[in-house]
Every structure is written in C-alpha cells, then in structure tokens.
Amino acid sequence: MKKETLAQVIIIIVLSIVLTGGFCYWRSYNSVFNWGSWCTAGGFANLFNAPLIFIFLLRISTIKLPKWSVSVIHLVAKVSLPLYLVSYVFDSLWYPVLNTKIALSWGLIYYPVSIAVTFSASFALALIIEKVSSIIYTGLIKKMERYL
C-alpha cells in the first residue's frame, strides 16, 4: 500500500478541519457556541483529526531541518504527555467562559488568540512538570544506585 505524501496529508487535514469546523459553525450560527457531543474529546472532529495529525507528524523528515528546529521538535515530543494532560486545566478554565459569553461571530476572532494563550500556558506548565519530574527521577536513580 502506498503511503500518502506530506502534502497530501496536509491537504486532508485542512479539508477535515474545514468540514468539522464548518459543521460546528453551522450548529452555532447566529448564537453563542452550541456545545454538544460532537465537540467533546470523543467527538467526530477528534476522531478524524487526531489520526491525521499523527500521520502528518510521522511523515515529517528532520534530516534537512536546521538543528534548532529539530531541538524544538524534540522538546515538544518530550513534554507531549504532560502538555496533553495539563491542557485540560486551561481548556476547562477558559473555553466555557468564551463559549457562553461571546457570540460565535466574535468568537472566531477570539479563538486564535485563545488557542495560542491556552497552548502557551499548558506548554509552560508542562515544561515545569517535566523538569521537576526529571529532577525527582534523577534523584531516585542516584539513591537506588547507592543501594545496588
């Protein structure tokens, strides 16, 4: 079976985001954001988009990338689990306020900023968690080595 090229995967991701985003926009037309099961973590948007994002990441070749960008990719990969876990905290704090207070037409302006802010806050907290857990892990390994 032939693998999709990186360009094909990007086109499929963009189409998927446009279709699922268009559906959510249609559900909320002329009102505040209409929240439903299609928007949750188990909703159809994530069902389609999450595997596509992972396929996209698998297709990226880091051979020709500058060292700094490979370092950034490695850092994101290193903190991806804590980033995923703590993103719920910031999502659950901010998005209910945004969804109930701001009409969808204005929300489209606020969402890019909201995504950047919640991602940055989640990433910063994930870096702290990763650093603390690394220090604890290193300390435990050193103590265990003394007894072995």
Side-chain angles (χ1 to χ4, degrees):
M1 191 163 140
K2 185 181 171 193
K3 285 185 177 182
E4 306 84 12
T5 65
L6 186 60
Q8 290 170 328
V9 173
I10 291 171
I11 291 169
I12 294 169
I13 289 171
V14 169
L15 285 173
S16 178
I17 290 171
V18 166
L19 289 174
T20 56
F23 176 78
C24 291
Y25 181 78
W26 171 75
R27 293 286 303 200
S28 303
Y29 188 72
N30 281 337
S31 68
V32 295
F33 188 76
N34 188 5
W35 189 264
S37 61
W38 57 89
C39 301
T40 62
F44 68 86
N46 286 343
L47 176 70
F48 295 117
N49 293 335
L52 289 172
I53 296 296
F54 282 107
I55 291 169
F56 167 75
L57 294 173
L58 288 171
R59 299 292 184 271
I60 295 175
S61 172
T62 59
I63 294 170
K64 296 179 181 178
L65 293 177
K67 287 184 180 182
W68 68 267
S69 62
V70 174
S71 298
V72 169
I73 292 170
H74 287 205
L75 178 64
V76 171
K78 190 175 185 180
V79 299
S80 62
L81 178 60
L83 177 62
Y84 169 73
L85 295 173
V86 301
S87 68
Y88 177 77
V89 172
F90 295 103
D91 288 349
S92 62
L93 289 173
W94 174 246
Y95 287 109
V97 173
L98 182 67
N99 292 340
T100 58
K101 303 287 185 198
I102 299 172
L104 185 62
S105 59
W106 283 99
L108 292 176
I109 296 168
Y110 289 107
Y111 272 106
V113 173
S114 299
I115 291 168
V117 169
T118 55
F119 177 80
S120 299
S122 299
F123 192 77
L125 184 56
L127 280 172
I128 293 167
I129 290 171
E130 200 285 322
K131 190 66 171 172
V132 168
S133 62
S134 175
I135 291 168
I136 292 170
Y137 179 76
T138 304
L140 288 173
I141 293 297
K142 286 181 180 180
K143 283 188 177 192
M144 288 175 66
E145 285 175 348
R146 283 189 229 154
Y147 297 107
L148 295 177

mmCIF file of all heavy atoms in Angstrom, residues 14-44:
data_model
loop_
_atom_site.group_PDB
_atom_site.id
_atom_site.type_symbol
_atom_site.label_atom_id
_atom_site.label_comp_id
_atom_site.label_asym_id
_atom_site.label_seq_id
_atom_site.Cartn_x
_atom_site.Cartn_y
_atom_site.Cartn_z
ATOM 1 N N VAL A 14 -6.406 19.883 6.330
ATOM 2 C CA VAL A 14 -7.084 21.164 6.121
ATOM 3 C C VAL A 14 -8.545 20.928 5.747
ATOM 4 O O VAL A 14 -9.448 21.583 6.290
ATOM 5 C CB VAL A 14 -6.346 22.015 5.055
ATOM 6 C CG1 VAL A 14 -7.182 23.211 4.633
ATOM 7 C CG2 VAL A 14 -4.990 22.459 5.572
ATOM 8 N N LEU A 15 -8.799 19.992 4.846
ATOM 9 C CA LEU A 15 -10.182 19.675 4.471
ATOM 10 C C LEU A 15 -10.988 19.181 5.670
ATOM 11 O O LEU A 15 -12.144 19.581 5.868
ATOM 12 C CB LEU A 15 -10.207 18.630 3.358
ATOM 13 C CG LEU A 15 -9.829 19.116 1.964
ATOM 14 C CD1 LEU A 15 -9.737 17.947 0.989
ATOM 15 C CD2 LEU A 15 -10.826 20.148 1.472
ATOM 16 N N SER A 16 -10.384 18.326 6.470
ATOM 17 C CA SER A 16 -11.072 17.795 7.645
ATOM 18 C C SER A 16 -11.399 18.908 8.640
ATOM 19 O O SER A 16 -12.506 18.955 9.182
ATOM 20 C CB SER A 16 -10.212 16.718 8.311
ATOM 21 O OG SER A 16 -10.827 16.233 9.468
ATOM 22 N N ILE A 17 -10.448 19.794 8.872
ATOM 23 C CA ILE A 17 -10.678 20.902 9.798
ATOM 24 C C ILE A 17 -11.752 21.843 9.260
ATOM 25 O O ILE A 17 -12.625 22.300 10.002
ATOM 26 C CB ILE A 17 -9.362 21.647 10.090
ATOM 27 C CG1 ILE A 17 -8.441 20.762 10.928
ATOM 28 C CG2 ILE A 17 -9.616 22.980 10.781
ATOM 29 C CD1 ILE A 17 -7.037 21.293 11.091
ATOM 30 N N VAL A 18 -11.716 22.121 7.959
ATOM 31 C CA VAL A 18 -12.729 22.992 7.361
ATOM 32 C C VAL A 18 -14.114 22.350 7.474
ATOM 33 O O VAL A 18 -15.092 23.008 7.840
ATOM 34 C CB VAL A 18 -12.377 23.311 5.886
ATOM 35 C CG1 VAL A 18 -13.553 23.927 5.149
ATOM 36 C CG2 VAL A 18 -11.165 24.231 5.819
ATOM 37 N N LEU A 19 -14.210 21.052 7.191
ATOM 38 C CA LEU A 19 -15.507 20.375 7.263
ATOM 39 C C LEU A 19 -16.035 20.295 8.691
ATOM 40 O O LEU A 19 -17.194 20.615 8.948
ATOM 41 C CB LEU A 19 -15.407 18.970 6.659
ATOM 42 C CG LEU A 19 -15.249 18.925 5.144
ATOM 43 C CD1 LEU A 19 -15.011 17.490 4.669
ATOM 44 C CD2 LEU A 19 -16.455 19.525 4.446
ATOM 45 N N THR A 20 -15.201 19.867 9.630
ATOM 46 C CA THR A 20 -15.674 19.758 11.016
ATOM 47 C C THR A 20 -15.916 21.135 11.623
ATOM 48 O O THR A 20 -16.877 21.337 12.356
ATOM 49 C CB THR A 20 -14.682 18.949 11.882
ATOM 50 O OG1 THR A 20 -13.384 19.541 11.804
ATOM 51 C CG2 THR A 20 -14.610 17.501 11.435
ATOM 52 N N GLY A 21 -15.048 22.101 11.309
ATOM 53 C CA GLY A 21 -15.258 23.472 11.777
ATOM 54 C C GLY A 21 -16.510 24.082 11.163
ATOM 55 O O GLY A 21 -17.271 24.782 11.837
ATOM 56 N N GLY A 22 -16.727 23.812 9.885
ATOM 57 C CA GLY A 22 -17.939 24.297 9.228
ATOM 58 C C GLY A 22 -19.199 23.718 9.858
ATOM 59 O O GLY A 22 -20.199 24.424 10.030
ATOM 60 N N PHE A 23 -19.140 22.446 10.224
ATOM 61 C CA PHE A 23 -20.287 21.825 10.883
ATOM 62 C C PHE A 23 -20.569 22.496 12.226
ATOM 63 O O PHE A 23 -21.712 22.820 12.539
ATOM 64 C CB PHE A 23 -20.049 20.325 11.087
ATOM 65 C CG PHE A 23 -21.154 19.650 11.835
ATOM 66 C CD1 PHE A 23 -22.340 19.314 11.200
ATOM 67 C CD2 PHE A 23 -21.026 19.371 13.184
ATOM 68 C CE1 PHE A 23 -23.374 18.702 11.887
ATOM 69 C CE2 PHE A 23 -22.051 18.761 13.890
ATOM 70 C CZ PHE A 23 -23.230 18.425 13.233
ATOM 71 N N CYS A 24 -19.512 22.721 13.023
ATOM 72 C CA CYS A 24 -19.691 23.377 14.327
ATOM 73 C C CYS A 24 -20.190 24.810 14.153
ATOM 74 O O CYS A 24 -21.023 25.275 14.931
ATOM 75 C CB CYS A 24 -18.390 23.352 15.120
ATOM 76 S SG CYS A 24 -17.931 21.705 15.679
ATOM 77 N N TYR A 25 -19.701 25.497 13.133
ATOM 78 C CA TYR A 25 -20.176 26.853 12.861
ATOM 79 C C TYR A 25 -21.653 26.824 12.477
ATOM 80 O O TYR A 25 -22.450 27.628 12.938
ATOM 81 C CB TYR A 25 -19.338 27.492 11.751
ATOM 82 C CG TYR A 25 -19.745 28.906 11.435
ATOM 83 C CD1 TYR A 25 -19.355 29.948 12.268
ATOM 84 C CD2 TYR A 25 -20.521 29.199 10.320
ATOM 85 C CE1 TYR A 25 -19.725 31.257 11.999
ATOM 86 C CE2 TYR A 25 -20.896 30.498 10.041
ATOM 87 C CZ TYR A 25 -20.496 31.515 10.884
ATOM 88 O OH TYR A 25 -20.868 32.805 10.615
ATOM 89 N N TRP A 26 -22.030 25.880 11.632
ATOM 90 C CA TRP A 26 -23.424 25.738 11.212
ATOM 91 C C TRP A 26 -24.333 25.466 12.412
ATOM 92 O O TRP A 26 -25.410 26.014 12.516
ATOM 93 C CB TRP A 26 -23.541 24.611 10.178
ATOM 94 C CG TRP A 26 -24.944 24.244 9.839
ATOM 95 C CD1 TRP A 26 -25.818 24.939 9.056
ATOM 96 C CD2 TRP A 26 -25.633 23.089 10.298
ATOM 97 N NE1 TRP A 26 -27.006 24.279 8.988
ATOM 98 C CE2 TRP A 26 -26.930 23.132 9.743
ATOM 99 C CE3 TRP A 26 -25.285 22.006 11.110
ATOM 100 C CZ2 TRP A 26 -27.867 22.158 9.977
ATOM 101 C CZ3 TRP A 26 -26.231 21.030 11.338
ATOM 102 C CH2 TRP A 26 -27.501 21.112 10.778
ATOM 103 N N ARG A 27 -23.864 24.614 13.336
ATOM 104 C CA ARG A 27 -24.667 24.291 14.527
ATOM 105 C C ARG A 27 -24.856 25.508 15.434
ATOM 106 O O ARG A 27 -25.797 25.544 16.220
ATOM 107 C CB ARG A 27 -23.999 23.168 15.339
ATOM 108 C CG ARG A 27 -23.938 21.823 14.688
ATOM 109 C CD ARG A 27 -25.244 21.153 14.664
ATOM 110 N NE ARG A 27 -25.774 21.018 16.000
ATOM 111 C CZ ARG A 27 -26.691 20.176 16.362
ATOM 112 N NH1 ARG A 27 -27.204 19.363 15.488
ATOM 113 N NH2 ARG A 27 -27.141 20.132 17.585
ATOM 114 N N SER A 28 -23.961 26.478 15.361
ATOM 115 C CA SER A 28 -23.997 27.632 16.265
ATOM 116 C C SER A 28 -24.317 28.934 15.552
ATOM 117 O O SER A 28 -24.139 30.008 16.131
ATOM 118 C CB SER A 28 -22.641 27.768 16.960
ATOM 119 O OG SER A 28 -22.320 26.601 17.642
ATOM 120 N N TYR A 29 -24.775 28.869 14.334
ATOM 121 C CA TYR A 29 -24.993 30.079 13.533
ATOM 122 C C TYR A 29 -25.930 31.051 14.247
ATOM 123 O O TYR A 29 -26.988 30.681 14.731
ATOM 124 C CB TYR A 29 -25.558 29.697 12.162
ATOM 125 C CG TYR A 29 -25.629 30.854 11.211
ATOM 126 C CD1 TYR A 29 -24.463 31.382 10.666
ATOM 127 C CD2 TYR A 29 -26.834 31.429 10.868
ATOM 128 C CE1 TYR A 29 -24.506 32.445 9.802
ATOM 129 C CE2 TYR A 29 -26.890 32.499 9.999
ATOM 130 C CZ TYR A 29 -25.721 33.003 9.467
ATOM 131 O OH TYR A 29 -25.764 34.070 8.608
ATOM 132 N N ASN A 30 -25.519 32.319 14.319
ATOM 133 C CA ASN A 30 -26.285 33.408 14.940
ATOM 134 C C ASN A 30 -26.584 33.200 16.420
ATOM 135 O O ASN A 30 -27.622 33.615 16.916
ATOM 136 C CB ASN A 30 -27.594 33.673 14.176
ATOM 137 C CG ASN A 30 -27.357 34.487 12.939
ATOM 138 O OD1 ASN A 30 -26.364 35.206 12.834
ATOM 139 N ND2 ASN A 30 -28.254 34.372 11.982
ATOM 140 N N SER A 31 -25.711 32.549 17.139
ATOM 141 C CA SER A 31 -25.897 32.371 18.583
ATOM 142 C C SER A 31 -24.532 32.187 19.225
ATOM 143 O O SER A 31 -23.513 32.189 18.545
ATOM 144 C CB SER A 31 -26.786 31.148 18.864
ATOM 145 O OG SER A 31 -26.115 29.954 18.507
ATOM 146 N N VAL A 32 -24.534 31.999 20.563
ATOM 147 C CA VAL A 32 -23.289 31.632 21.218
ATOM 148 C C VAL A 32 -22.958 30.213 20.798
ATOM 149 O O VAL A 32 -23.802 29.494 20.266
ATOM 150 C CB VAL A 32 -23.387 31.750 22.761
ATOM 151 C CG1 VAL A 32 -23.593 33.184 23.172
ATOM 152 C CG2 VAL A 32 -24.452 30.847 23.317
ATOM 153 N N PHE A 33 -21.740 29.789 21.058
ATOM 154 C CA PHE A 33 -21.296 28.471 20.612
ATOM 155 C C PHE A 33 -22.210 27.381 21.166
ATOM 156 O O PHE A 33 -22.460 27.303 22.358
ATOM 157 C CB PHE A 33 -19.852 28.228 21.049
ATOM 158 C CG PHE A 33 -19.265 26.976 20.474
ATOM 159 C CD1 PHE A 33 -18.859 26.949 19.153
ATOM 160 C CD2 PHE A 33 -19.140 25.835 21.245
ATOM 161 C CE1 PHE A 33 -18.319 25.805 18.608
ATOM 162 C CE2 PHE A 33 -18.596 24.692 20.713
ATOM 163 C CZ PHE A 33 -18.183 24.672 19.384
ATOM 164 N N ASN A 34 -22.732 26.562 20.287
ATOM 165 C CA ASN A 34 -23.630 25.478 20.645
ATOM 166 C C ASN A 34 -22.800 24.234 20.941
ATOM 167 O O ASN A 34 -22.266 23.612 20.029
ATOM 168 C CB ASN A 34 -24.612 25.230 19.491
ATOM 169 C CG ASN A 34 -25.696 24.255 19.852
ATOM 170 O OD1 ASN A 34 -25.799 23.816 20.993
ATOM 171 N ND2 ASN A 34 -26.503 23.914 18.874
ATOM 172 N N TRP A 35 -22.676 23.901 22.207
ATOM 173 C CA TRP A 35 -21.837 22.783 22.634
ATOM 174 C C TRP A 35 -22.634 21.494 22.590
ATOM 175 O O TRP A 35 -23.773 21.432 22.997
ATOM 176 C CB TRP A 35 -21.333 23.039 24.053
ATOM 177 C CG TRP A 35 -20.315 22.042 24.466
ATOM 178 C CD1 TRP A 35 -20.527 20.901 25.196
ATOM 179 C CD2 TRP A 35 -18.928 22.049 24.158
ATOM 180 N NE1 TRP A 35 -19.368 20.217 25.364
ATOM 181 C CE2 TRP A 35 -18.363 20.898 24.734
ATOM 182 C CE3 TRP A 35 -18.105 22.906 23.452
ATOM 183 C CZ2 TRP A 35 -17.008 20.592 24.620
ATOM 184 C CZ3 TRP A 35 -16.774 22.608 23.359
ATOM 185 C CH2 TRP A 35 -16.242 21.470 23.939
ATOM 186 N N GLY A 36 -22.024 20.449 22.061
ATOM 187 C CA GLY A 36 -22.684 19.154 22.014
ATOM 188 C C GLY A 36 -21.666 18.033 22.001
ATOM 189 O O GLY A 36 -20.451 18.269 22.058
ATOM 190 N N SER A 37 -22.151 16.816 21.893
ATOM 191 C CA SER A 37 -21.260 15.651 21.936
ATOM 192 C C SER A 37 -20.265 15.656 20.780
ATOM 193 O O SER A 37 -19.195 15.059 20.879
ATOM 194 C CB SER A 37 -22.075 14.365 21.922
ATOM 195 O OG SER A 37 -22.844 14.298 20.729
ATOM 196 N N TRP A 38 -20.586 16.336 19.689
ATOM 197 C CA TRP A 38 -19.675 16.400 18.550
ATOM 198 C C TRP A 38 -18.438 17.248 18.853
ATOM 199 O O TRP A 38 -17.457 17.183 18.129
ATOM 200 C CB TRP A 38 -20.403 16.974 17.322
ATOM 201 C CG TRP A 38 -20.983 18.321 17.558
ATOM 202 C CD1 TRP A 38 -20.359 19.522 17.359
ATOM 203 C CD2 TRP A 38 -22.271 18.619 18.073
ATOM 204 N NE1 TRP A 38 -21.185 20.559 17.721
ATOM 205 C CE2 TRP A 38 -22.384 20.028 18.162
ATOM 206 C CE3 TRP A 38 -23.351 17.858 18.480
ATOM 207 C CZ2 TRP A 38 -23.512 20.676 18.625
ATOM 208 C CZ3 TRP A 38 -24.475 18.505 18.939
ATOM 209 C CH2 TRP A 38 -24.560 19.888 19.003
ATOM 210 N N CYS A 39 -18.468 18.038 19.936
ATOM 211 C CA CYS A 39 -17.345 18.907 20.299
ATOM 212 C C CYS A 39 -16.438 18.294 21.361
ATOM 213 O O CYS A 39 -15.375 18.838 21.640
ATOM 214 C CB CYS A 39 -17.863 20.236 20.839
ATOM 215 S SG CYS A 39 -18.881 21.140 19.695
ATOM 216 N N THR A 40 -16.850 17.216 21.972
ATOM 217 C CA THR A 40 -16.091 16.652 23.085
ATOM 218 C C THR A 40 -14.876 15.882 22.584
ATOM 219 O O THR A 40 -14.682 15.711 21.376
ATOM 220 C CB THR A 40 -16.983 15.708 23.912
ATOM 221 O OG1 THR A 40 -17.412 14.632 23.075
ATOM 222 C CG2 THR A 40 -18.181 16.441 24.479
ATOM 223 N N ALA A 41 -14.074 15.408 23.533
ATOM 224 C CA ALA A 41 -12.864 14.665 23.176
ATOM 225 C C ALA A 41 -13.185 13.435 22.343
ATOM 226 O O ALA A 41 -12.397 13.028 21.504
ATOM 227 C CB ALA A 41 -12.109 14.266 24.439
ATOM 228 N N GLY A 42 -14.342 12.849 22.551
ATOM 229 C CA GLY A 42 -14.742 11.676 21.771
ATOM 230 C C GLY A 42 -15.570 12.027 20.553
ATOM 231 O O GLY A 42 -16.141 11.149 19.909
ATOM 232 N N GLY A 43 -15.635 13.306 20.197
ATOM 233 C CA GLY A 43 -16.447 13.749 19.071
ATOM 234 C C GLY A 43 -15.832 13.380 17.736
ATOM 235 O O GLY A 43 -14.672 12.981 17.629
ATOM 236 N N PHE A 44 -16.624 13.551 16.690
ATOM 237 C CA PHE A 44 -16.168 13.123 15.366
ATOM 238 C C PHE A 44 -14.998 13.950 14.844
ATOM 239 O O PHE A 44 -14.184 13.441 14.080
ATOM 240 C CB PHE A 44 -17.326 13.111 14.366
ATOM 241 C CG PHE A 44 -17.866 14.463 14.013
ATOM 242 C CD1 PHE A 44 -17.289 15.201 12.994
ATOM 243 C CD2 PHE A 44 -18.945 14.995 14.689
ATOM 244 C CE1 PHE A 44 -17.778 16.449 12.662
ATOM 245 C CE2 PHE A 44 -19.442 16.238 14.361
ATOM 246 C CZ PHE A 44 -18.854 16.967 13.348
#
